[in-house]
Amino acid sequence: MKTPLLTGEDPEAKRAELKAYFQNTWSTYESLFELIAQDKAFFLRPEPLRHPLIFYFGHTAVFFVNKLILGKFLDHRIDPRLESLCAIGVDEMSWDDLDSRHYEWPSADEVRAYRGKVASTIESLIDQMPLSLPIQQDSLAWVILMGCEHERIHLETSSVIMRMLPLEYLQQDPRWQACPYHGDAPSNHLKAVSTQTIVKGKKLEDLTYGWDNEYGEQVTEVEAFDAATYLVSNREFIDFINAGGYQAPDYWTEEGQAWLRFSRAEMPRFWLRKNGQYYQRNLIEEIPLPANWPVEVNYLEAKAFCNWKAKSTGETIRLPSEAEWYCLRELISTDLPTWQEAPGNINLEYFASSCPIDKFETAGFYDIIGNVWQWTESPIDGYTGFEVHPLYDDFSTPTFDGKHNLFKGGSWISTGNEALKSARYAFRRHFFQHAGFRYIRAQQAEPVQAPVHNYETDMEITCQLEAHFGKPPTGVPNFQVNTVKLLLEEITPKPEAKVLDIGCGVGRASFELAKHAAQVDAIDFTARNIQQGYALLEQGEKRYTSQTEGELVAFNTIDLHTLGYEQDKHKINFIQGDPCNLKPRFSGYDLVLANNLIDRLNQPARFLEQMWERLNDKGYLVITSTYDWQETFTNKQYWLGGIKVNGENFTTLDGLTELLIPKFELVSVKSLPFVLPQNKRRAIYATAEMTIWRKR
Amino acid sequence: MKTPLLTGEDPEAKRAELKAYFQNTWSTYESLFELIAQDKAFFLRPEPLRHPLIFYFGHTAVFFVNKLILGKFLDHRIDPRLESLCAIGVDEMSWDDLDSRHYEWPSADEVRAYRGKVASTIESLIDQMPLSLPIQQDSLAWVILMGCEHERIHLETSSVIMRMLPLEYLQQDPRWQACPYHGDAPSNHLKAVSTQTIVKGKKLEDLTYGWDNEYGEQVTEVEAFDAATYLVSNREFIDFINAGGYQAPDYWTEEGQAWLRFSRAEMPRFWLRKNGQYYQRNLIEEIPLPANWPVEVNYLEAKAFCNWKAKSTGETIRLPSEAEWYCLRELISTDLPTWQEAPGNINLEYFASSCPIDKFETAGFYDIIGNVWQWTESPIDGYTGFEVHPLYDDFSTPTFDGKHNLFKGGSWISTGNEALKSARYAFRRHFFQHAGFRYIRAQQAEPVQAPVHNYETDMEITCQLEAHFGKPPTGVPNFQVNTVKLLLEEITPKPEAKVLDIGCGVGRASFELAKHAAQVDAIDFTARNIQQGYALLEQGEKRYTSQTEGELVAFNTIDLHTLGYEQDKHKINFIQGDPCNLKPRFSGYDLVLANNLIDRLNQPARFLEQMWERLNDKGYLVITSTYDWQETFTNKQYWLGGIKVNGENFTTLDGLTELLIPKFELVSVKSLPFVLPQNKRRAIYATAEMTIWRKR
């Protein structure tokens, strides 16, 4: 059964469809677990880094309940103990942090009974829920779909774990019939794929359920390349093994070498060697290695194979990028909702296993989708416009770390969202799924792709990012933008003006100033601040978390395009430097902005004294500060004001005037609000003073 | 010459009067220093705890310049070095903190030249300044008067220091003629003073210049007492010495004993004993002790004398309070501006020294004003309505510490403001001026007077006081007041309601709640918070400083009367207690308010769980919080929310609901702004959530 369309004419028909889809998902999942012949097998740990299968058996039901409660669609728990035990631990997104606590797992019968109760609850929710079409992301129907699609993911991942269970614990089942066809593999060859523009990303109005990371847009210009017509078969991979590939570190990335040392792998994970012959473990059977089935490896092995092949052939053989995979995918004109028969071994439409690599052809390529997933060179990242779904904020965000690579195309057991063209799943590069690869011969040894926009989480930096680029509290203007606006009321820079934004922080004022000058040198003492501005320049986007309450966070994106800074960003130079000890080359400025800086310097007077020399004649020095003098930043003897002098109150404005008036004229004094957010509920709220000085 | 009236018909006549007053002040001060016969005497330190006289010679001119610059009435310094050297150090308000730095004092001629330049500057300012009548406190004319009155204070204090200079350095001067009359002292006796109501305090519209501490109002009911008709004479004091008074610790306060051990005093400071005979040092002469002149002592000696006399006579002999002194002062119908001839040895109208104690009589009492100052039992404090003058914010405030006692009446050299009825000067109790005392026989051994309203300066407390009682930023309601307002929208307490304000802080919400209930128990874990609320209850006023910039502060007063809390304050009980471990007696409440508390407790759930038992049926629990969970206050395992539970976001509202819903109904959830000021320019600005729960 296919994932339901979000649209339709008749809500009641859609309600019935949703219920049927739920029931189909539920029963398919349970039928997989019915392959387990003895309940004790639920508690084995064939893969020591994962929870036993009992966890996964309960987990998909628990997920439904926990999301319904989070969304306030359900007001009571069904089994608090189970809903805690089977909620978190090792799922495919965070498989490396299994802790060593002792888990008091429920019995299989307990979980079966629990699943029954949850199913009834969900069915009656489906019966009674308000339902209007199209289904919106904040509706209960969406949460039902989320639970179904989540369970379908675990249908696949649990089937992978089952391939690790000793066969004695499993039983045959007519519903899970492996492909009966094995034979020699055809020899692989390369076939041209022409240059094209790939537009990726699901639109919000798309007709099918999507995970957050699928939405947004990314446009990639893909240069022509040649792709292997077939997935790499077991037969083809044996050449790599025979060439000593697993023993040749040179073919492996650094990460791959580390994994090799740890795993001591000598062949693919689901192979075994008995009496000098290779076998392959499938879901519920072990068969002599089927030469014409796709090899199943992790990214690291696929990458090593490509490196070996590149070396052997002297060609730039590598894995495709996500965009390059889509160049092939474009050859198939259908997608899950519209096909009558799947154009590949996918969606459980044909086999409960892989099948020969030459069975499903489109335009000269085989297995563009289905059979096994195909690793790519692309670490997963959100597209431009990415937004976290509030009910599942850790589905994607933890994987935007450059360590999770996308694989594409789906496997024989990929159903629902997994089988859609828009599907995007990523795993750690050492992880095993029903996954193999297709290699390509490209112009470049590495595909052109942007670095991953990981989430900045360091509170010191994220508070700065939020202050510069976040939404300020109602009624308060953005401090950086306002600073530039207020100084422009007094100063009209010439188009060729050269500007210094000293103490630029994460750079917002520099972007504003760049609209009004020819060059902006943006200097900050803190390298991590400069890195943020630089990343914005280079990547156009920057993501960061912000604290909402306790350890909870919101996910935010800064996007230069939306902010209108794309056009002038080339004028900005982000440079790390000490404001009190700037290199001589930083001079000849028409305008120097020292924004919120002086009360954070250890010798503010020393800083100010050198500004005169760095400015052009009639150049402007603009100082903003909340005059928040603290001994931690500035030894009291160096405070410019906020002290008693000769027993009298001596403000910072007094001090600035005394220091600057011999060489500057005071043009203007203004007051402006300054907000430094701490979390969703809290901010430092201050009044800054701006003084504008013109060089005499 | 008398201190000018602030009013008048003709500004130009007033300008001339001000100029003449300035010139008279200036020349009188200089004529005092002309008593010094050799310039080297300017640099001696007859009193090692004070600066040499050269400091004082320059100081009064420097003061003019520094205040004019502070007030932006002068834009340049006349001599920066001198204006720093002679600005601060030992004045009569802070005489104990002389540091041991080496001072490069200017020569006497340098100071003379400097004084000349300053005088010209001031005279031309007086000539040119805008002048409208009456003279306002923010005008330049006020600053001119401030400088004159300040110099007149130093005319007196410098004359005291001169009494310590060896006579060889001083010369006779016809302008400084001591009283030639000495003789036997009349015997002192007591005379009745009837009960009266004394209203102290200068009104803002008063006709003469005043220091900040003189303004405001204080009404005191004074019970009848008997006062000595004469000041204590040298003759009368000898009895105390002969009785071994200086060797009998019992007569001395603890502070007095400490001073005795330090000073090794055996007689008054200006007495000396040669060849078995007492002498007295006056300004420029040493004479055999004049028996009928008033004895000059510090407060500690005066107090010891009274204690001795009380013990000898078995009567409650003591010094008068400020209010009791005013009972005598009321007997004189004139004041400086209106008298033709001073009704006492004051204002330099008669002698450049004390004179016999039986020379100036009014209604049977002698020397009600003049001759020597008269120590009182009253530590100085601001009256209700006290406000600091912005150009001299450390004139009074440092003396509101309970360690500075008022003396009244003025001495022979008290002129200008010092000679006014409204004058209020206070010194440390061990300090010497031209001061003696009159004793009284009272009903009570101690006069009835409120404790001194010292300025709370501890930042932790002052920020709380400012948050509770300060002026919130524009557009933001006071959090405490708003909390009560919002809860009253949902809850209408019965008149007999019993309320618990738990975590009351410095108590603002308790005062608000007291308007709507019969009893408010206001409990806080921090004793210093409770002390603030308690002080407000007891004294009706509380003073505190708040940071403006760096080390600079503003001075603030909380006044229950103005806030409208006087009527219900008796309903409040401020109690120190641990919210997580309250005594059983704190129960039977109709309303419990936990304001900004839960995220500062180490075990918030434990606190909340006991609230049900402490509430009456259908009683309300009101919780406000910004949910600012921090490990420093609450171990993460005890956070009520802001955490991931079963992998899902779990807010504090979720946690509160889970905890309370079995025994409470959730009546309302509201949002309200919370502001915690840090200084004049900075505040923590947060959004709190209020949840109102009704006991099931």
Side-chain angles (χ1 to χ4, degrees), chain A residues 143-304:
Chain A
V143 180
I144 302 293
L145 281 173
M146 180 185 282
C148 292
E149 296 302 343
H150 172 264
E151 190 161 57
R152 285 176 185 274
I153 293 172
H154 281 290
L155 177 70
E156 173 144 4
T157 62
S158 297
S159 74
V160 175
I161 297 174
M162 276 189 198
R163 289 178 76 180
M164 302 174 187
L165 259 192
L167 281 174
E168 61 195 277
Y169 297 109
L170 294 166
Q171 58 197 356
Q172 294 299 314
D173 188 313
R175 292 171 296 182
W176 297 94
Q177 299 277 2
C179 171
Y181 313 124
H182 327 133
D184 281 346
S187 67
N188 216 344
H189 54 272
L190 295 157
K191 185 170 154 55
V193 180
S194 55
T195 301
Q196 52 192 295
T197 302
I198 295 295
V199 180
K200 288 167 287 178
K202 202 158 175 160
K203 299 198 184 328
L204 283 174
E205 59 273 24
D206 193 275
L207 297 184
T208 51
Y209 176 90
W211 300 106
D212 54 5
N213 70 57
E214 299 167 14
Y215 293 93
E217 188 178 274
Q218 191 174 68
V219 179
T220 313
E221 303 296 333
V222 183
E223 289 195 46
F225 61 96
D226 304 312
T229 50
Y230 301 108
L231 298 183
V232 173
S233 66
N234 284 329
R235 170 65 199 83
E236 193 169 7
F237 198 77
I238 282 181
D239 291 341
F240 171 67
I241 295 177
N242 290 343
Y246 278 87
Q247 290 76 42
D250 283 0
Y251 301 138
W252 299 75
T253 60
E254 208 167 305
E255 183 182 349
Q257 292 174 31
W259 174 77
L260 264 189
R261 284 192 297 272
F262 169 77
S263 67
R264 305 182 182 215
E266 296 185 332
M267 65 184 89
R269 176 68 175 83
F270 295 111
W271 289 15
L272 59 164
R273 193 169 169 89
K274 288 193 288 200
N275 307 321
Q277 199 188 335
Y278 288 115
Y279 290 78
Q280 174 167 320
R281 168 61 192 266
N282 295 326
L283 182 58
I284 45 177
E285 63 185 6
E286 204 174 281
I287 59 173
L289 187 70
N292 59 345
W293 287 19
V295 71
E296 291 167 288
V297 291
N298 63 24
Y299 165 89
L300 301 170
E301 292 168 299
K303 177 84 175 167

Side-chain angles (χ1 to χ4, degrees), chain A residues 424-477:
Chain A
R424 299 184 84 219
Y425 293 87
F427 288 89
R428 295 267 187 97
R429 290 186 276 263
H430 64 266
F431 212 62
F432 291 105
Q433 288 289 300
H434 310 304
F437 65 106
R438 179 192 314 272
Y439 54 83
I440 67 167
R441 182 173 59 197
Q443 312 282 341
Q444 308 86 10
E446 299 289 336
V448 179
Q449 46 195 5
V452 172
H453 299 86
N454 63 324
Y455 280 88
E456 178 63 51
T457 58
D458 181 307
M459 285 277 285
E460 274 184 57
I461 300 296
T462 60
C463 287
Q464 290 293 329
L465 288 169
E466 186 72 2
H468 281 230
F469 295 98
K471 189 166 170 285
T474 313
V476 183

Side-chain angles (χ1 to χ4, degrees), chain A residues 67 70 72 83-84 393 549 551 626 636 642-644 646 648-649 652 654 681-683 685-687, chain B residues 67 70 72 83-84 393 549 551 626 636 642-644 646 648-649 652 654 681-683 685-687:
Chain A
K67 293 302 179 194
L70 182 64
K72 316 279 188 213
E83 283 151 15
S84 174
D393 67 6
E549 191 180 307
E551 67 175 6
T626 64
K636 196 166 175 183
I643 47 174
K644 292 263 184 188
N646 298 342
E648 305 297 351
N649 290 345
T652 307
D654 293 334
R681 292 186 170 275
R682 250 168 208 259
Y685 203 101
T687 305
Chain B
K67 292 303 180 193
L70 182 63
K72 316 276 186 217
E83 283 150 16
S84 174
D393 67 4
E549 193 181 307
E551 69 176 6
T626 63
K636 195 167 176 184
I643 47 174
K644 292 264 183 186
N646 298 341
E648 305 298 349
N649 290 343
T652 308
D654 292 334
R681 292 185 169 274
R682 253 172 204 255
Y685 202 101
T687 306

Side-chain angles (χ1 to χ4, degrees), chain A residues 483-610:
Chain A
T483 293
V484 176
K485 177 169 164 274
L486 291 181
L487 74 84
L488 288 173
E489 289 173 2
E490 310 297 329
I491 304 168
T492 308
K494 293 168 291 181
E496 66 272 26
K498 192 176 152 190
V499 175
L500 172 63
D501 181 6
I502 179 77
C504 63
V506 297
R508 181 71 183 267
S510 296
F511 285 100
E512 283 292 321
L513 288 166
K515 295 180 191 170
H516 307 277
Q519 178 182 336
V520 179
D521 290 344
I523 300 183
D524 200 271
F525 186 73
T526 303
R528 287 187 307 165
N529 285 342
I530 288 296
Q531 283 159 12
Q532 310 304 313
Y534 189 75
L536 269 171
L537 276 193
E538 291 293 306
Q539 301 166 34
E541 265 185 69
K542 181 72 213 170
R543 301 209 178 103
Y544 64 99
T545 58
S546 56
Q547 192 194 15
T548 55
E549 191 180 307
E551 67 175 6
L552 308 181
V553 298
F555 297 87
N556 311 280
T557 302
I558 305 160
D559 166 16
L560 284 198
H561 180 74
T562 309
L563 291 167
Y565 293 148
E566 279 290 349
Q567 198 184 325
D568 298 296
K569 69 176 189 182
H570 64 279
K571 301 172 182 172
I572 308 175
N573 309 307
F574 280 105
I575 304 147
Q576 193 271 337
D578 180 354
C580 293
N581 193 21
L582 278 183
K583 295 196 174 115
R585 73 178 170 99
F586 296 110
S587 56
Y589 294 106
D590 301 292
L591 168 62
V592 172
L593 171 63
N595 211 1
N596 250 326
L597 176 69
I598 56 169
D599 55 2
R600 291 298 177 265
L601 296 177
N602 50 20
Q603 293 199 42
R606 183 166 163 185
F607 161 72
L608 289 170
E609 278 158 2
Q610 44 160 337

Side-chain angles (χ1 to χ4, degrees), chain B residues 355-400:
Chain B
C355 71
I357 58 172
D358 53 1
K359 204 162 165 39
F360 293 94
E361 183 262 346
T362 308
F365 292 100
Y366 293 79
D367 293 335
I368 291 177
I369 67 168
N371 221 356
V372 295
W373 292 90
Q374 304 166 41
W375 284 105
T376 76
E377 281 292 3
S378 302
I380 191 172
D381 196 2
Y383 296 138
T384 299
F386 168 77
E387 279 184 56
V388 166
H389 193 282
L391 291 190
Y392 203 170
D393 67 4
D394 57 350
F395 181 83
S396 301
T397 53
T399 69
F400 296 171

